[in-house]
Amino acid sequence: MKRLVTSLGKVFGPLTKLGIRPQIAVLFFALLFVPLFVRDEFTLRLLITSLMFGGLAMAFDFTAGFINIVNFGFAAFMGLGAYSSGLSVLKLGLSPWLGLIFAALLVGIVGFGLGVLTIRLGGIFAACMAWFVALALMAVTANWVDLTKGNSGLSVPPLFVTIRNMPYYYTILAIVILVYILLAVISSSKIGLAFRAIGQDVVAAASSGVFATKYKIINFTISCCLAGLLGGFYAHFVGVLTPQVLHTRNTVEIMVISYVGGRGTIWGGLVAALLLVPAMDYLKGLLELRLIMYGAAMILIMIFYPRGLAGLWTSGADYLKRKGVLPDTSTVSVSKGKTGQNL
Amino acid sequence: MLEIRQLDVSYGYLQVIWGVSLKINEGEVVAILGTNGAGKTTLLKTVMGLLTASQGTITFLGEEITNLPTFKLIKRGLSFVSEERNLFPAMTVFENLILGAYTVRDKKKINDALEYVFTLFPRLAERKNQLAGTMSGGERQMLAIARGLMHGPRMLILDEPSMGLSPMNVEAVFETITRLRSGQTTIVIVEQNVNTTLRIADRAYVLEQGRIVLEGTSAELRSNDQVREMYLGIC
Amino acid sequence: GRGASKPDDGRKIVKIGVQGPFTGPASRVGDEFKAAIQMAFDEIGNKIGDYEVQFVWIDCESDAEKAARAYEQAIVRDKIDVGFNTWHSWVSVALMDIAAKYKMPHFLSFGATEIVNQKYKSDPEKYKYWVGKTWPTPSLLSIAYVEAVNEAIEAGLWNPPNRNVAVYGVDNDWGRDFGNSVARQFEDAGWTVVTREWVALGETEFYPLLNKLQQLGASVVVGSMSDPPSVSSFIKQSREVGLKSLIISDGLGWVGEWYELTGDASNYVLDQIPQWTTPAARKFKDDFAAKFGFEPGASTAGLMYDSARFMIKIMQETLKEHGALTQENFAKIAEKVRTGQLTFKDGIIMKEYKYTNDTFPDPVVGEEYYIFPVIQYMNGQGRIIWPSSWKDEDIVIPDFLKQ
Amino acid sequence: MILEAKSVSKRFGGLKAVNEVSLQVQEGEIFGLIGPNGAGKTTFLNCVAGDYRPDGGSIIFQGKNITGFRPDIICREGIARTYQIVRFFPKMTVLENVMVGVVFGSKKKVKFPERTAREYLDYVEFPVAHHVLAENLNTIQLKQLELARALSTDCRLLLLDEVAAGLTPAELNKITALIRKIRDDGRTIIIVEHLMRLIMNICDRIFVLNFGEKLSEGTPKEIMSCEMVTKAYLGETYMH
Amino acid sequence: MEMLQQSWDIIVTAILRGGLYALMAVGLSLVFGVMNIANFSHGEFYMIGSYFAFFGITEFKFGPLPSIIFAGLAAFAIGMIVERGVFNPLRQKSKKGWLMNTFLLTLGVSIIMQNGVRMIWGSRYRGVTQFWPGRTKIFTSMEIANDRLVAFIIAMITITLLWYFLTYTRTGRAIRAVSQDETGASLMGIDLNWIHTLTFALSCMLAAIAGASLLSINPAFPTMGVNPLYKSWFVLILVGMGNIWGSIYGGLIVGLLETISIYRFGAGWQDVISLIIIILILLVKPSGLFAKKGVKSVLE
Ligand SMILES: Nc1ncnc2c1ncn2[C@@H]1O[C@H](COP(=O)(O)OP(=O)(O)OP(=O)(O)O)[C@@H](O)[C@H]1O
Ligand SMILES: Nc1ncnc2c1ncn2[C@@H]1O[C@H](COP(=O)(O)OP(=O)(O)OP(=O)(O)O)[C@@H](O)[C@H]1O
Ligand SMILES: [Mg+2]
Ligand SMILES: [Mg+2]
């Protein structure tokens, strides 16, 4: 066992350097081959949705878990991406693929603006500012009927001519891998160091030479850009958009996934999505009871395991390392080391 | 009056206090000395129910008080002036003092206590209506001590009352302690200012890495070589 | 799980996938749907010929993505044989693609706005599995108000101070479609539209709006809101403000308990809503209330009941003609529904539910087919004032509107 | 002269926390800033480090006017600081805490930030393993960590706000030696401290603030014998 | 003349609207100030307040006022249960990441309450047509339904009582003390657990009173709490945390913004307009209109 892990460690060594976790690389590898075994259209669709939420949760965590600002309007930026991709196809005649890119860029720009808006705000005020911007966006989407068709809904052309789920599956898988790698690389780079520094103590970060504003804006821009991209995918996958896509309800859903996954980990959100979305689907028959269970589960997790799945994984791995089953390879361990007590 | 037996305290996995036992008699001034991070604050907080003990017992006036919630200890006559002062910054000096007497229901007793602390610290009487958050460091410390006296405690525990104060204010604080002592209040004091502390204390304990390593009267300790080297800086 | 396929013990089962908002913000409607469908199928002992009917309740949660996923699950996992019903138009749009993908005939959906028609017309061949709307595009119905008002004026029942009309509505697909089409129809009939006001869904505070309307002094105030708190607040507050206009509140009576919410503030208000007119309808209403403990709405539970019975008829017809209740056979029968060869005449709400090639996906609208009578409320009762052939009474004009 | 403050002022509402303070700090000296609680010492440091923008006056650092610059720019210009109440990144390891300073704190591009960070930790003789999360450290360790982070920005001028508060005499001796070492390695230091023993021991010159204004300035000896200082700050009965 | 009349209408409407926003916001602010919980289940207590008032009137045949008081007390009790069952356990376990963890807890509470109510009472609308029939003339031309006026008065009285309670009573002072320094408060002999439970329950009671006194205007249904919740957050953020009188101004400002935008831009845009203005205000005053920097308390 130990030797296997060590040799795997060698293979993944360069990846780990970039902050890409071997277990996630394995997961992606497995996901690549899923359609070979699962030919069931519904399961594929469920996986598509799960991956989509996983991607969103990762992008959300990139802000919440690193610079410690909860973008409580996150769904609206995803929705904005959906609408801008859809409308760019309908009104500008772009191909849906270009639409996705257009959406990513546009929402990235809006994220830039949001970053500028929230510069001076901290904590709950920044979260509320993002939320208010989102609510305003949603109201605009509902009211600008000439452009968006408002609450009647906007029909959006699909990405593929075929109606099978497979192409969508590989598209979203590619997007999610891209998102993960991008976020993992950034967050393990110098920029990531700056993100975490300003997330934990802005003043100390500034006095160490970190220009908080710049990194806050970079973070918002990237996170929103990815939300826009995923939103664009949503648009062309589902085929119809209503302002409800921008609803706070969806932000809560993404937030729960990312928190259950574990804050500040990037990968936690993806794993949580792959578990939670199917689980919720499985329980659909319970109607309200399902949502009550969902609420209760949320409460129990927050009370008893606030570090989420990632925390569970880490403590599990720590336990194994202590038992000597796994080699202690990490240079930067998150475990609580024994501190020396004195000079 | 207060007795601690074989106390262990940990933060998570990290044990900080190891089998500490000590005893404080009525009317004494006892100092607890120790290097930074020796666990002095931890010890006091555990006595006050702000932290939980994993092992051992604490008795106060013959009754066991181990791990009782803080507010019950206040009712029994303990009082704690913490390192961080813990004042209510958006309330006036007067309101802070009134809250000090939260456990006292008798209006007259409250008024007497107010009068007493105002004679101790005339400065507070002048600043009765100033918000605590706007007071200077020295004034805050006075307020914290005064507030700790408001419910007429039988034992007052002070954690580094002179920390961060200018020499003049330090002087004032120690003067107050001397005066309290003559007022029959038992006092436990934790200080870095070893020199001065040993001058006013009857007895002292030395805590090191969470263990009691020395104890004795002030005079004994002052002449102890180890103490002289470690704390008095005399080599 | 529910992923079971059919039993091999010779029992014949037909699985019908019913879409609806069973949880989420519109779950109230979902409750009524479910109850009405159960009423209809209970009456036939849940059997079509020797087939036992099994329901797969497909919850859309008022969300297009979730609805589509649930629908695909119902098709792939639960192996439904036929689809039935929706509530939101956007859900219809999302499901049309799924239905086309699996060639799953899907009958009689509420989702009514133009967006559904547009999608259907963009590729009728592809979307032919989307069979019929239970509710026509709103503009097809709202013309009745204009006619009712104009007829009253011509008949000398009312001499309005001006021919101005103010339009209001809830800000969603329904409210806007309705408001805009009724505005157009009033304009075509020579009226002037002085304002159009959209309010947020769930809004219950109408003082500013009503004061504005009152100052505009239009003779008629017309609009629609889909949620009862808004409607009842609007009506009550219009009395509080003392609005001196004839109020048309399309959809006031959509939920059974409307009178408990508005009280007599609803007097004189016009609505266009199916009524429990026939004995059969009233019986349904009473049975429903007795069975489920709440008042059914004629336009939700009532229409759903008709729709479910039409569905039963379709299923029976399929069995009769093709001998088995399979997806392919349902698809074949869809052709007859679309062309008007198969219609439903025994409804409690409408005279006849019928589609033709010209109207599809809308039902045929007309006095002998699908029409909502215009009614006027008085002390908790709705009395039909239009069309004249159905009329209970003439329109009553309140004193404050008389000149 | 490395730093010059020309009649720097900072107000909070009606309160003049720092009022027209002018001072000069020479290259390579240890400059003490003392005064009663609330005299404006921390506020003055905040003005120099850019945490506050002065309401009036100017601050010249190495011949460059840096008044009102952002703290991160000032840091990269070469002024680093520690805080009276320690500031650090609790969820990062000791090493990462210092790396923030190494990577972002100086104009120079550091090739191997990790190695450099370790060097600074060794420089302050940091006693704890480098992969420990900072939230698990105690006060003195945090102060050392903060010092290492400040130094890691490769500063020319170091502002220390009550680094010695709460230390025992033995620890005090260590920190005194460390401060001397930092100065001897060519850095200038401004130190704010209440501990006279330390101040008198290591400062080349001392500046006394009272109610936001200059009270006195001079060598430790001069200050000790200055009557005004005794009255306002040390107290009549002050004795060493 | 007409302009004047219209301005009066706007102002009166805004005041009536704002009063109840203020009542909601005060409760939110109380819980945030004392317990540091950003409560997203506040709207659900508004909702159950509505339900209890309905049952008070229809089942127990109370009059309007007793029904409202009944609703307040019932919500108080439920609030106590929720605090003891949800927030208290977390506090005992760990205070790390408290703000975000409790935020998620409140989301959970909100989901459970919404769906629980739907399960128990279904999603039918429960309302009464009127509490206090009739209208009152304000100024020369404007008439206002008594229900609305009384609801406003109830809100104002409740807020005043709360203010008195917090300022002058021993327990009120204890609540404020906890909001400023928990350790300090416990060192004064204050039972933190009790104060937290009390505070949360009080806040729930305020929301329930708001919901109950509007029953004749808003029938009760499971998701009715969402809108008032949003509005009270607007108010809270606009005025800054922990300021009771500020909440009243905030309520009026939000009411006024909405009313004006309805008049000027049409109904659908009210959220856009008022949100944009709130955002602009926040840009100028990042911690809210009335917030004092660095001082955290429930009452200034
Ligand atoms: N952000 C602020 N807002 C309002 N007043 C402030 C602020 N910061 C400091 N003050 C006030 O300015 C004065 C000077 O404070 P400063 O912190 O500079 O004192 P100090 O000399 O460092 O005192 P100490 O030795 O106690 O640390 C004090 O009266 C303080 O209350
Ligand atoms: N919240 C905490 N979590 C983990 N460890 C802690 C915590 N608080 C204190 N410690 C550790 O416990 C030990 C004792 O700390 P304590 O504050 O009791 O020391 P002290 O003697 O009061 O020191 P000081 O003179 O600095 O006040 C230290 O090693 C410190 O790092
Ligand atoms: Mg201590
Ligand atoms: Mg200072």
Side-chain angles (χ1 to χ4, degrees), chain A residues 291-301, chain E residues 108 111-112:
Chain A
L291 292 168
I292 292 178
M293 285 166 57
Y294 175 68
M298 241 162 95
I299 290 177
L300 292 177
I301 289 178
Chain E
I111 292 174
I112 291 181

Side-chain angles (χ1 to χ4, degrees), chain C residues 308-335:
Chain C
R309 287 174 62 223
F310 190 3
M311 188 67 209
I312 290 172
K313 185 174 176 191
I314 291 170
M315 293 167 87
Q316 286 166 341
E317 201 69 18
T318 313
L319 187 62
K320 203 164 83 195
E321 246 172 61
H322 302 285
L325 293 180
T326 62
Q327 186 178 342
E328 295 72 32
N329 292 341
F330 281 120
K332 283 181 207 150
I333 215 82
E335 188 61 25

